Structure formats: structure tokens, C-alpha cells
Amino acid sequence: MYVWPCAVVLAQYLWFHRRSLPGRAVVEIGAGVSLPGVLAAKCGAKVTLTDNSELPHCLTVCQQSCQMNNLPQVQVVGLTWGHVSPSLLALPPQDIILASDVFFEPEDFEDILTTVYFLMEKNPKVQLWSTYQVRSADWSLEALLYKWDMKCVHIPLESFGADKEEIAESALPGRHTVEMLIISSAKGSLLHL
């Protein structure tokens, strides 16, 4: 399985904050191979992995990651961004939402933030920890964050030991600038680590 640079950077951020993870409720959306979620579980968080309910193969990949890492306690749930489904309704309040490179297609941005907003309604202090690969200077979340009453803080990769030069040297074609954001409800306060 290939692990994308964004997942590696998000995992590095989790590792940097590993002492604050035990007992925290964490959900990873668009989990794929689930590196950040698996690491959070290994660090003692109560983790739920989610991926598109309309693509069973994605859920199988999440389950395989749990099996390979001996994590039978991690739940894998089908969740389609922007849909209020029984699976979304059943999720308990979360402390942290992980999202590695989910801001890939601009037409998905609002569906992602709609799902995040729903989770923020259950716990106004929840934060979305997200890494993404910069693909176009024209793509922005700013208007959608304002619409959904959210705020965003950019986290410099150097602040937790991630190396931008190493990421840029990956085997992927094109530009590899990876950024990290923490998104929270404009009403909520920042999670103290």
C-alpha cells in the first residue's frame, strides 16, 4: 500500500502530540490506508476510521490496516461526506477529526465541511486536524469556513519536525507542497494539548 505524503505529515503531527492522545475520541474521515488513525490508536486514542460508504473497497482497506496493526478495537464505519446517515448520527462526540488530503476536489469541499460541522455540533470543542497537498492557488476554503462558522489556523510543518524538502522529493509527479490546518468551530475554543 502506498502512503501519501499528506498522511505521513499528519502522522508526524500526531506523533509529536502522542502524549495528549490517550483516551481521546478520534475519527478519521476519508481514511484510506488509515496511517494517521492507526497511529492515534497505537498512541491510546479511541479511534473510528471512516471512508466512503458507497465504495466498499475503501472500507476493506481500512479494515486490513486495522488487522495488520493488531487493532481489533478500532471501528470502521461507512460515511459519505455531506450525507446525514445513520452511521453519522451514531458517531459519539469526538475530540479530534483527522483528515489527510481530503481537500482534493473543490466540489467535495462543502460536503466535507458539512460533515465536520455536524460533528462540531455534537462537540463544539472538536478540531479538524488536516493536511493537504497544494494543487492550485485558486482553491480556497475561506468562504466555506465563514459560511459554516468555522475558523482555521495554519500549522507550520517545521513546528513539529516535518521536513518540507523531504516531502518535495517524493516520487509523485507535480508539486508537493503539503500544508497543515486546524479547523474548529468559531464558537469553540482550541483543544489544549
Side-chain angles (χ1 to χ4, degrees), residues 66-134:
C66 292
Q67 290 168 353
M68 290 187 316
N69 287 283
N70 195 26
L71 294 169
Q73 75 279 15
V74 173
Q75 288 187 308
V76 176
V77 176
L79 189 69
T80 302
W81 302 327
H83 294 211
V84 177
S85 64
S87 297
L88 180 62
L89 294 171
L91 285 176
Q94 301 294 311
D95 299 309
I96 301 166
I97 304 164
L98 301 174
S100 169
D101 209 21
V102 298
F103 295 109
F104 186 85
E105 296 289 344
E107 61 265 17
D108 293 333
F109 291 2
E110 186 152 26
D111 286 342
I112 294 164
L113 291 178
T114 300
T115 300
V116 170
Y117 179 83
F118 183 85
L119 294 169
M120 287 180 176
E121 287 294 301
K122 289 184 172 188
N123 177 7
K125 293 181 180 180
V126 70
Q127 292 181 344
L128 171 65
W129 294 2
S130 182
T131 51
Y132 67 96
Q133 182 179 341
V134 177

Side-chain angles (χ1 to χ4, degrees), residues 14-22 24 43 193:
L14 286 160
W15 184 251
F16 189 80
H17 293 289
R18 65 190 173 276
R19 288 177 182 80
S20 66
L21 293 174
R24 296 225 190 246
C43 290
L193 299 175

Side-chain angles (χ1 to χ4, degrees), residues 115-176:
T115 300
V116 170
Y117 179 83
F118 183 85
L119 294 169
M120 287 180 176
E121 287 294 301
K122 289 184 172 188
N123 177 7
K125 293 181 180 180
V126 70
Q127 292 181 344
L128 171 65
W129 294 2
S130 182
T131 51
Y132 67 96
Q133 182 179 341
V134 177
R135 292 178 172 86
S136 172
D138 296 334
W139 298 355
S140 175
L141 292 174
E142 189 174 356
L144 290 172
L145 292 172
Y146 180 78
K147 175 181 178 179
W148 289 102
D149 200 22
M150 295 178 192
K151 59 188 175 187
C152 177
V153 176
H154 177 264
I155 306 297
L157 273 54
E158 305 79 35
S159 70
F160 58 93
D163 184 349
K164 278 191 173 187
E165 295 304 315
E166 187 177 300
I167 294 163
E169 293 172 5
S170 79
L172 292 176
R175 188 171 172 200
H176 299 290

